[in-house]
Amino acid sequence: MTEQPTKQTKTGYDVIHGYLRTLDASPGVYRMLDGDSRVLYVGKARNLKARVSNYARPGQHSPRITRMIRETASMMFLTTRTETEALLLEQNLIKQLKPRYNVLLRDDKSFPNILVAKDHAFPMIKKHRGAKKQKGNYYGPFAGAGAVNRTLNQLQRVFLLRNCSDSDFETRTRPCLQYQIKRCSGPCCGLISEADYASSVRDAEKFLQGRTKGIQEALAKQMQDASEAMEFERAAALRDRIKALTQVQSAQGINPQNTAEADVIALHRDGGQACVQVFFIRANQNWGNHDYYPRVSGDEDPSEVMEAFVGQFYSNREPPRMLILSHGLDNDDLMADALAEKAERKVEIIVPQRGEKAELVQNALRNARESLARKMSETATQARLLKGVAEAFEMDKVPQRIEVYDNSHIQGAHAVGAMVVAGPDGFDKNQYRKFNIKDDSLTPGDDFGMMKEVLTRRFQRLLKEDPERTQGTWPDLLLIDGGQGQVSAVREIMDDLGVSDIPMVGVAKGEDRDAGKEEFHRTGKPVMALRHNDPVLYFIQRMRDEVHRFAIGTHRAKRSKAIGATPLDDVPGVGATRKRALLAHFGSAKAVARANLADLKAVDGVSAKLAQTVYDYFHENG
């Protein structure tokens, strides 16, 4: 690849025309930059010279592209070997640089899967999100935690698989509540054999693969055999499982019969905004849907929006075997090749006109239309609330980004800081941040010291990454949980950082510490309150409650991790399985540390080399 950055003093068509002398017909990616070298637009081309020449001719562009050309002061080029490579590079750069004039997918959350773990004699079934590092089979993606939880609930009712952790499994001496309510077969207490449990696991995986008919027939035969053998209690249990499976199948009537694996993607636009609805079809089952609101300018073609969405959506996700779209792509063959290269198998892209697949698209379009209508209504309400905040606190402009901070700890232990963000679209959870308090010199429970560390880290990073405040990451208002003392302390922190122009408000509980009697503190201004039924007051309470929730959840997760930690976690080569074997053999991490080399080698599953590693780790200091 070759890169040719050049800075020009002029802007517009003449600047773009000047690059034509050095370009050839190679495929590649181009970037358009403004006078401050900020990226305005990223695009791909089969022929860079031909594509750039289109921008150099006035009078044939949409208003959005005309504005972009007018602001262009320089361009950068990356040549690639193929157009497919250019497409993949374009989408990566768009996600990384977030150019102002590109269609941009703003929600980049990951999707959960169901994991049938295979690192234990009695596999557990659980929700999984993130890298697929644990040994086992993964099924998904599901649209969200709700869809996963419903499916897990169904699997437990029908197949009686455990969902407890391995440590709970090893220490339990009698069946838990899950067994009592017939959601688990009790493998922890030997109430089911390993072979029978493995059979249930296989049936559960067949269910997740859409092969439910054979499962029901097998259960019916087992029930008949148990009845004939006069094992009436076992027959009744099998009857209950068949009943649960029947209920699951009847609840899945909306599932497609002829579409085994696909993502259904539908685009609806209204009032300069867009909603893309994605339905996940796996194993002939509808595994939920999710709506997205890509950033658009309003004059893009539907094919351009759809192509940008598909490219960015699958840049860090594995595509299914089929994409069913409401609008075609200008380069559908190219996109299919790029996705196939990523998935290492064929990916088909279709725009159906009739039949079951067309009905799926129509359903997704209806959901997209309804979701966008709700979103536009909520956005209008949110805009009124933000305007109300500006008026209540006498701000010069309506805030577009409000950051709310809080700390959480128990007598200083496992201290964390939390930041939540609210703006025109409500709470922006992609922008939430958590801070592990690192300063060991702080007095336990020193909230001022914790807040100083959090704000210092937050704004030092902003000063480094966005000193010109052009990326939309700087807050227009800070909300601090506390009264005048907290506000004064935060103001001092901000002054030390050289950031003294951001308004801040302290939210104190007020008289009797009752919700609705909050007092608001600002630097150099008298304490104020809002009337008890003011929508702005409710909005501030929601923001304060949200940061409390986020901070407490972060603190609990950190505390739980610390409680379950042992010195074995730091020993090289000791993973979950070896850790479990060592603890089961010796009873505690302290006993492992005291063990001699011969005893370590005697542990089942621990090699001589690993035993030496463990021994050296605990005895390296004599």
Side-chain angles (χ1 to χ4, degrees):
M1 294 183 181
T2 60
E3 187 165 349
Q4 308 166 8
T6 306
K7 180 76 174 182
Q8 302 285 340
T9 56
K10 301 181 293 183
T11 61
Y13 295 100
D14 292 338
V15 169
I16 296 172
H17 193 274
Y19 287 99
L20 296 177
R21 297 190 303 272
T22 59
L23 291 175
D24 58 22
S26 300
V29 173
Y30 58 93
R31 281 178 271 183
M32 309 178 90
L33 296 84
D34 65 11
D36 295 321
S37 296
R38 293 185 294 251
V39 179
L40 298 170
Y41 184 80
V42 175
K44 68 174 183 315
R46 178 184 293 111
N47 181 323
L48 278 173
K49 186 167 186 175
R51 185 74 179 108
V52 174
S53 67
N54 289 334
Y55 290 113
R57 292 193 288 269
Q60 56 178 341
H61 305 291
S62 68
R64 174 177 64 101
I65 300 300
T66 301
R67 289 194 304 272
M68 179 185 71
I69 292 172
R70 192 181 302 127
E71 295 178 35
T72 299
S74 62
M75 296 185 71
M76 298 177 69
F77 304 92
L78 287 165
T79 59
T80 59
R81 293 171 299 172
T82 65
E83 191 181 1
T84 300
E85 188 177 317
L87 173 63
L88 295 171
L89 178 59
E90 174 201 32
Q91 299 304 332
N92 287 336
L93 287 174
I94 290 173
K95 294 194 73 170
Q96 175 187 344
L97 301 172
K98 297 179 172 56
R100 188 192 320 166
Y101 287 99
N102 281 97
V103 174
L104 186 63
L105 174 59
R106 292 179 287 190
D107 187 350
D108 194 29
K109 64 174 285 186
S110 62
F111 291 101
N113 290 265
I114 285 179
L115 167 61
V116 181
K118 294 298 180 70
D119 53 1
H120 194 280
F122 293 92
M124 69 177 297
I125 185 167
K126 64 180 181 178
K127 178 171 61 181
H128 177 87
R129 194 191 293 267
K132 299 177 180 179
K133 296 180 179 180
Q134 187 173 349
K135 182 180 178 181
N137 296 331
Y138 294 83
Y139 297 91
F142 289 79
V148 168
N149 292 336
R150 284 192 298 272
T151 303
L152 286 174
N153 184 47
Q154 294 165 357
L155 289 171
Q156 287 176 268
R157 290 172 58 203
V158 177
F159 303 107
L160 310 181
L161 303 183
R162 73 179 182 97
N163 64 352
C164 58
S165 67
D166 290 345
S167 59
D168 285 344
F169 183 92
E170 300 294 344
T171 57
R172 184 159 288 282
T173 58
R174 60 181 183 178
C176 67
L177 180 62
Q178 289 292 97
Y179 175 81
Q180 305 297 337
I181 63 174
K182 300 181 180 180
R183 297 291 178 89
C184 179
S185 52
C188 57
C189 300
L191 300 178
I192 184 173
S193 69
E194 187 174 331
D196 287 343
Y197 190 88
S199 177
S200 294
V201 171
R202 287 193 296 272
D203 285 344
E205 295 197 82
K206 289 178 182 178
F207 174 86
L208 290 168
Q209 296 162 3
R211 297 153 56 193
T212 59
K213 184 177 179 181
I215 299 172
Q216 193 156 0
E217 291 175 350
L219 289 175
K221 185 176 186 306
Q222 292 175 34
M223 182 181 69
Q224 182 65 29
D225 292 343
S227 178
E228 291 176 356
M230 291 189 290
E231 298 175 359
F232 299 119
E233 187 172 341
R234 181 167 178 267
L238 289 165
R239 179 202 61 205
D240 292 341
R241 291 173 64 185
I242 293 171
K243 183 178 178 181
L245 183 58
T246 302
Q247 290 173 345
V248 169
Q249 291 170 328
S250 63
Q252 294 178 341
I254 61 170
N255 291 337
Q257 299 299 311
N258 303 310
T259 306
E261 179 183 332
D263 285 351
V264 184
I265 305 176
L267 165 68
H268 178 73
R269 304 179 67 181
D270 186 17
Q273 299 187 50
C275 176
V276 177
Q277 191 80 206
V278 183
F279 278 76
F280 302 94
I281 307 296
R282 299 294 186 274
N284 295 97
Q285 301 176 46
N286 184 341
W287 282 359
N289 62 298
H290 197 280
D291 48 345
Y292 295 88
Y293 303 92
R295 187 188 71 190
V296 296
S297 298
D299 57 1
E300 303 94 342
D301 292 331
S303 60
E304 180 182 355
V305 177
M306 183 65 80
E307 182 172 305
F309 177 86
V310 170
Q312 294 173 50
F313 186 74
Y314 294 108
S315 64
N316 60 350
R317 299 181 179 92
E318 182 178 344
R321 299 182 184 277
M322 179 182 291
L323 302 186
I324 304 175
L325 310 182
S326 63
H327 297 79
L329 310 180
D330 290 338
N331 303 286
D332 54 354
D333 292 342
L334 178 64
M335 183 64 74
D337 290 342
L339 296 179
E341 183 176 312
K342 177 180 176 62
E344 299 181 347
R345 53 172 166 71
K346 182 179 178 181
V347 176
E348 185 179 3
I349 299 177
I350 65 170
V351 182
Q353 303 300 315
R354 63 182 66 85
E356 179 185 79
K357 293 179 175 61
E359 292 177 5
L360 290 172
V361 169
Q362 289 303 314
N363 183 41
L365 273 171
R366 184 179 68 256
N367 278 270
R369 182 170 59 251
E370 294 170 354
S371 296
L372 184 57
R374 287 193 297 269
K375 180 75 170 180
M376 293 172 70
S377 175
E378 292 167 1
T379 300
T381 301
Q382 190 72 9
R384 289 194 295 271
L385 289 172
L386 293 174
K387 183 179 179 182
V389 169
E391 293 172 351
F393 299 130
E394 301 172 346
M395 298 177 64
D396 295 332
K397 64 176 184 179
V398 176
Q400 298 301 298
R401 181 185 175 100
I402 301 175
E403 293 186 356
V404 196
Y405 292 87
D406 193 17
N407 300 320
S408 183
H409 59 91
I410 295 179
Q411 296 181 340
H414 314 305
V416 296
M419 177 191 86
V420 305
V421 178
D425 295 325
F427 290 112
D428 188 351
K429 296 192 177 182
N430 286 336
Q431 295 294 315
Y432 286 16
R433 296 293 181 268
K434 53 188 176 184
F435 302 83
N436 288 315
I437 303 300
K438 300 177 179 179
D439 190 349
D440 295 331
S441 66
L442 290 176
T443 303
D446 181 1
D447 286 327
F448 287 137
M450 295 178 196
M451 187 59 68
K452 180 176 182 179
E453 178 179 335
V454 168
L455 291 173
T456 299
R457 287 163 57 186
R458 167 66 178 154
F459 283 93
Q460 281 182 345
R461 182 165 185 170
L462 282 177
L463 288 167
K464 178 182 178 181
E465 296 182 351
D466 187 17
E468 302 298 325
R469 307 190 186 187
T470 58
Q471 299 177 14
T473 54
W474 282 76
D476 301 311
L477 174 66
L478 299 183
L479 284 184
I480 309 297
D481 186 27
Q484 191 61 53
Q486 282 87 345
V487 171
S488 299
V490 170
R491 175 54 66 195
E492 183 179 339
I493 296 167
M494 301 296 282
D495 289 342
D496 290 342
L497 291 168
V499 185
S500 56
D501 59 332
I502 298 178
M504 65 181 64
V505 176
V507 185
K509 290 285 176 54
E511 184 181 352
D512 300 326
R513 301 183 64 81
D514 286 339
K517 297 183 179 180
E518 285 82 359
E519 294 177 344
F520 301 99
H521 299 260
R522 296 169 293 169
T523 305
K525 295 183 179 180
V527 178
M528 61 168 290
L530 297 172
R531 69 179 189 274
H532 73 279
N533 60 347
D534 192 332
V536 173
L537 176 60
Y538 297 146
F539 179 43
I540 294 171
Q541 289 171 347
R542 288 209 320 273
M543 289 190 285
R544 183 193 60 200
D545 293 344
E546 175 68 0
V547 76
H548 282 344
R549 180 200 65 79
F550 186 56
I552 290 171
T554 302
H555 167 71
R556 285 175 177 165
K558 184 177 181 181
R559 189 176 72 227
S560 297
K561 185 176 181 180
I563 290 172
T566 75
L568 291 172
D569 294 328
D570 299 323
V571 181
V574 176
T577 302
R578 301 294 178 266
K579 175 183 171 182
R580 186 167 58 245
L582 288 164
L583 291 175
H585 186 90
F586 291 102
S588 69
K590 188 175 291 186
V592 175
R594 292 196 301 261
N596 60 43
L597 185 59
D599 289 338
L600 289 169
K601 290 180 178 179
V603 177
D604 187 29
V606 175
S607 65
K609 181 179 179 181
L610 181 59
Q612 186 69 56
T613 300
V614 174
Y615 182 83
D616 291 344
Y617 178 84
F618 288 112
H619 295 81
E620 60 183 3
N621 296 322

